Amino acid sequence: EVQLVESGGGLVQAGGSLRLSCAASGFTFSDYAIGWFREAPGKEREGVACISSSDNSTWYKEYVKGRFTISSDIAKNTVYLQMNSLKPEDTAVYYCAAESSTGCYLYQYGMDYWGKGTLVTVSS
């Protein structure tokens, strides 16, 4: 069965760091692009970062560039999102999603599989 399981969320003070993990199973990991989305209270779900497991190419939303880093461990079928210099506006439920694609399009309605999310709360 296809599964994406996020972990690593929690409560952190502004300026702090968290590392999210997305453990994937049930599909050929290297054939998919893996992305992180987030959904803040009252906001639409939006793409944050993406990595293509086939070539490790990456994409970031402009407002997280320089603060967030996405990486992949193909052998472990796991994608990580290192989040540094966190801001209160980063507070959201973070979702891992997979798309059968050769690149990072990170379109919400084009993703094939979704995790259940992990909550990140950043206090001021």
Side-chain angles (χ1 to χ4, degrees):
E1 181 182 2
V2 172
Q3 285 190 314
L4 294 171
V5 181
E6 304 96 333
S7 62
L11 175 64
V12 66
Q13 189 177 32
S17 299
L18 286 173
R19 190 188 193 194
L20 305 183
S21 297
C22 173
S25 62
F27 62 94
T28 305
F29 189 74
S30 61
D31 291 341
Y32 285 74
I34 309 296
W36 286 97
F37 290 75
R38 69 186 186 186
E39 187 172 335
K43 300 278 189 176
E44 293 185 359
R45 189 174 299 185
E46 61 183 3
V48 174
C50 180
I51 185 167
S52 175
S53 298
S54 62
D55 62 4
N56 286 320
S57 61
T58 60
W59 174 90
Y60 297 92
K61 191 75 173 183
E62 287 295 327
Y63 53 69
V64 306
K65 286 184 177 179
R67 299 190 297 122
F68 291 10
T69 302
I70 189 169
S71 61
S72 176
D73 187 335
I74 296 176
K76 296 181 179 179
N77 283 5
T78 301
V79 171
Y80 305 95
L81 185 67
Q82 178 67 46
M83 305 185 295
N84 299 324
S85 301
L86 283 162
K87 304 174 181 179
E89 52 263 42
D90 293 319
T91 295
V93 176
Y94 283 72
Y95 298 90
C96 178
E99 178 183 9
S100 179
S101 175
T102 57
C104 287
Y105 298 102
L106 209 58
Y107 177 57
Q108 178 182 347
Y109 303 106
M111 309 306 290
D112 297 302
Y113 308 117
W114 289 88
K116 294 181 179 180
T118 185
L119 177 63
V120 172
T121 303
V122 184
S123 62
S124 60

